[in-house]
Every structure is written in structure tokens, then in C-alpha cells.
Amino acid sequence: MTFTPQPESRSEARPLAWVKGPIEAHDYAELLDLFVDDEDRNRRSLCLLVLDARKLLVQPIVVNDLPAPAPCPTEFLEGLAADLHDGDFSVLVAYARPGALRLTGEDLRWQAYVSDAFGALLLGCYLVVPDAVRAYADCPIAA
């Protein structure tokens, strides 16, 4: 498992307003789509976008090569959450994996880990697969 700060988006086509202005809730999925590259989608990754009080992007972080089934990097998540609680920050999280856009038991475990670590700081949890990004609430449950 590796922790990689992501300095820039993979897309050069992103409007400048996203860099200079606040990120709105209706833009979360599109923004995560820009930051989670194809390689990360196919190797189980966690993308965390840290936003400040004005909802400006402060730092994207990608944790790659997550094991399956999911033992979560709880020390990392809890440490980051503690640091964020010290400021006026929030976090947007995406779990990326290969496969279909249907929530599995493992996807739900990741959501629980993230929710437990970040609590009220969590703006949203998204599932990212090779061809789509969707809020967990908008994903069907796998049978």
C-alpha cells in the first residue's frame, strides 16, 4: 500500500473556476473523476480531496494498492482526520476499484471505515470504477 499526494488533476481541460473558486456539491463526482486516473481505478485506491472552509481544494491524496478484502489503513485515516479537526477542513472520499458500478460488501466496509474516521468532516463518499463515478447513495447494491 502506498500513499501518494497528488499535486495536479489528470485533466488539463478543467475550467479555471475549479482551481480558483469553491467546489459545489453538484461538481463532486466530476472532480473525483478528474483526480482518480485509470491506473488507480484498476488497482484499488482511495482518493481523498481535502477542502478548506471556503470549499477550495487544499490537497488531493491517493492511497494506492489497497488490499482486498479490506483491512483499512485506519492509522492513516484517523491521523488525517485528527489533523483536519484542528482546522476548518472537510474531505471528499472516493473508493476506486475494478468492476461494475454496484456496491459490494467490501465497498460498504470502506464507506464505514471512512465515515468512522472523518465523521462530520465527510462531505461525501463515492465509488469509482473504470467507466463511472457515483455517490454511494446513488449506486445499486450487488446481489
Side-chain angles (χ1 to χ4, degrees), residues 13-119:
R14 187 170 75 166
L16 188 57
W18 285 42
V19 176
K20 303 264 184 207
I23 298 167
E24 303 292 333
H26 64 270
D27 294 325
Y28 291 168
E30 186 177 352
L31 186 62
L32 288 163
D33 189 39
L34 294 172
F35 277 96
V36 182
D37 67 26
D38 293 336
E39 187 177 334
D40 290 330
R41 292 168 194 246
N42 287 304
R43 60 191 243 195
R44 296 192 190 283
S45 301
L46 199 62
C47 176
L48 303 105
L49 300 182
V50 179
L51 307 178
D52 68 12
R54 296 175 300 152
K55 298 297 183 261
L56 299 175
L57 182 63
V58 175
Q59 179 67 54
I61 301 167
V62 176
V63 182
N64 324 82
D65 302 320
L66 297 171
C72 180
T74 52
E75 286 182 31
F76 168 73
L77 291 178
E78 290 168 359
L80 179 60
D83 289 343
L84 295 178
H85 277 292
D86 292 340
D88 195 4
F89 298 102
S90 54
V91 66
L92 191 57
V93 177
Y95 175 58
R97 62 155 173 79
L101 191 63
R102 292 180 134 350
L103 291 176
T104 65
E106 184 169 327
D107 299 332
L108 295 172
R109 281 190 295 279
W110 277 108
Q111 182 185 33
Y113 293 145
V114 166
S115 294
D116 289 347
F118 294 108

